[in-house]
Amino acid sequence: MPRKSMKILTDSMFYILMVLSVKDLCGQEIAGAIASLTEGRIEMGPATLYTLLSKFLKEGMIEEVHVQGRKRTYHLSEYGRKAYLDEKERLMQCLRDAERILQYDDREKETDPVPAV
């Protein structure tokens, strides 16, 4: 089954929206903020970054708020903020599920938390 566009965000997409949820930034600032925040776990190259920014612009998730030469500053739209918060909640639910399954002790529970397939 094909994935719906922008329904579930990739890590790179999520982090771009995350840093833009705090303040307006240009592309280089976005990449730097993500690298710093993730302590280098995620380093986004220009091709990935600008491809995603273009996609976000087209989808209305971000807006250009300032252009100075080639430097463009981006702002998270309300639609982008909702997409970010929805994905954050989805990821938090995944973590809650992981915590619940780790707490499972088959000696104390009669039912298996993982349904048979």
Side-chain angles (χ1 to χ4, degrees):
M1 172 186 295
R3 189 168 93 180
K4 291 181 182 176
S5 176
M6 305 296 201
K7 179 81 171 141
I8 296 176
L9 304 175
T10 65
D11 289 349
S12 296
M13 295 166 113
F14 181 69
Y15 276 97
I16 290 170
L17 297 181
M18 182 190 302
V19 298
L20 286 174
S21 74
V22 177
K23 69 188 252 185
D24 299 348
L25 300 166
C26 73
Q28 283 186 311
E29 292 168 331
I30 292 168
I34 292 169
S36 176
L37 179 66
T38 64
E39 298 177 335
R41 282 189 332 271
I42 297 178
E43 290 190 22
M44 211 171 306
T48 299
L49 176 64
Y50 290 103
T51 297
L52 291 175
L53 290 174
S54 176
K55 189 173 194 173
F56 286 153
L57 281 167
K58 184 178 177 184
E59 294 286 328
M61 297 174 85
I62 64 172
E63 304 158 345
E64 284 183 0
V65 291
H66 184 70
V67 178
Q68 183 178 4
R70 292 178 52 175
K71 181 179 177 180
R72 299 173 186 283
T73 302
Y74 302 95
H75 174 79
L76 188 63
S77 71
E78 284 306 310
Y79 173 54
R81 185 169 304 282
K82 181 179 180 340
Y84 164 67
L85 293 174
D86 287 350
E87 181 67 2
K88 179 180 163 199
E89 180 54 37
R90 187 190 73 79
L91 293 170
M92 290 174 68
Q93 185 60 55
C94 289
L95 291 173
R96 286 190 293 269
D97 293 342
E99 289 299 317
R100 277 198 349 238
I101 204 160
L102 286 174
Q103 294 172 2
Y104 175 73
D105 182 346
D106 60 356
R107 292 170 290 188
E108 297 178 15
K109 308 257 185 197
E110 293 180 18
T111 60
D112 191 341
V114 182
V117 184

